[in-house]
Amino acid sequence: MLKNKFVVLGVTGSIAAYKSADLVRLLKKRGARVQVIMTKSACKFVKPLTFQVLSQNPVITDMFREPYRWEVEHVALADSADIILVAPATANIIAKIAAGIADDILTATILATRAKVVIAPAMNVHMYENPITQKNIEYLKGLGIKVLEPEEGPLACGYTGRGRFPAAEDIINILEELVGKAQDLKGRTFLITAGPTREPIDPIRYISNHSSGKMGYSLAHKAIIRGARVILVSGPTNITPPAGLYKFVPVETAIQMEKAVLENFNQADVVIKAAAVADYRPKKFNPEKIKKKDDEMIVELVKNPDILQELGKKKQNQVLVGFAAETDKPEKNALEKLKRKNLDFIVLNDVTQEGAGFGSDTNIVKIIYKDGRSEALPRMLKEDVADDILDRVLPFLTENG
Ligand code: CTP
C-alpha cells in the first residue's frame, strides 16, 4: 500500500531518533519515496548522512539553505506529501505544531500541508504525562492528526513508564492502514445529521436535549478526509463545521431537519442520522413571551415526524445508519428501532456509562446489525468512533455497487 507513496519523515531531537533509521529502511522496502527532514536537535543525536544513505535522498535540515529547485521548499513538500510522519516527536515539536508555530522547515511544512499527519511521541514519561503535553495531544487529535500511543517500558532517562518509541513495524502498519483508507469513500455522497433540534414554545423558550453534535461533526470530518462528498444538516451546536463540506444546512426544529433531509436524500449514497431529534414539539407556538401566572403551566406537545423512519420507507439502495441513545434494555430497544426504521445498522449508545454519549469527547458504542449480531467497541475518542462507523459502512456500499 505504501508503494510509490511520498512520505515526509520529520525526525526530532529525542534519544529515539536513531530508531527512525529503521523506519526509513522499512519504508523504502515497502516501495515508498522518503524525504527526511531533521530538526537542529535531531542532528545532535544522529548524523543526517545516516538518513541520506537509507532514504537515498539528501536530508533537509535548513529552511534557508541554497535552493536546488525553483520551488518554495516547504510548500512543495507540503503539497506533494501523501503522509507526513513525525517520528520520534518530542514534547517541544508537539507543542509547536499545536500552537501553529512554523519557525523551521518541519513545522512550516506541517502547517502548509493538507496531507495526513501522523505523530509518534517519544519522551520522558513525566513530559508525556504532563497535562500541557496531553492537552496539546488531545487538541491535535481533534484536528484529525493521528497521534500514536507511546509504549510503556524502561526509558533512556532512567525512568520506567509510557514514553517509548513504538516498534517500527507497528508504525508502518498504521501508515498502511491510513493510506489504504485515504480515499476509500471517494465518489460517494454522505448525508449526515448532527446536534439536537430546538422546538420553540415562545420567542424566548424552547424544548431541546443535551446533544452536543460532536459525534455527527466527527463523522462528517472523517468522511471528508476519506474523500466523500458530505452534506451536513445540523441542529444548533457550538462547533465550527469541518472544512471541505459539500453543503452545510443549519436547522433549528425537527420539521426543518425533515425538510432538509428529504431534499437531499435522493443524491445520498449513505445517510447517518446522528442527530438527537426532539420526539415532540409544542402544539402551539406563542408569538409573544408567555408571562408568569398560575402555579402550574401546561405545554401541550404533539409528535414530531420520525425522519429516519420516513427514510426507511423511501430507501432504495441507500445505506441507512441510525443512532440509539438508550438507558434501559439497550440492545433489545436498539434492535427494535433498527427493524422499525429499516436500517442497515444502528449505533447503540448506552448513555448511562461514563465516557459515553452526550457532551463527552469520547464514546462507547455497540454496532447492531439486522440479524441481531452486535460488535462492542471500546471507549474511544468520537473521531475514532467515527472512523470505525465509516469502516462498517464500506461493505454495504460495495454490496450496493
Ligand atoms: N430519529 C429521527 N427522527 C425522530 C426521532 C429520531 O430521525 N423524530 C432518528 C435519530 O436521529 C436516531 C434514531 O432515529 O438516528 C433513533 O433515535 P432515538 O431518539 O434513540 O429513537 P426514537 O425513535 O425517538 O425512540 P425513543 O425516543 O422512544 O427511544
Side-chain angles (χ1 to χ4, degrees), residues 1-4 21-34 54-56 169 172 176:
M1 272 183 201
L2 289 168
K3 198 169 165 58
N4 294 327
D22 203 31
L23 208 49
V24 176
R25 187 184 61 79
L26 288 177
L27 283 167
K28 291 299 289 179
K29 212 168 143 193
R30 299 281 215 282
R33 291 180 296 128
V34 183
L54 289 168
S55 67
Q56 297 158 342
E169 277 84 3
I172 300 283
E176 286 194 321

Side-chain angles (χ1 to χ4, degrees), residues 273-275 277-279 304-308 322-326 337 340-341:
K273 283 228 72 232
V277 185
D279 288 334
N304 267 329
D306 190 316
I307 308 169
L308 197 50
F323 274 73
E326 304 291 345
K337 250 174 222 179
R340 177 158 42 90
K341 304 192 187 201

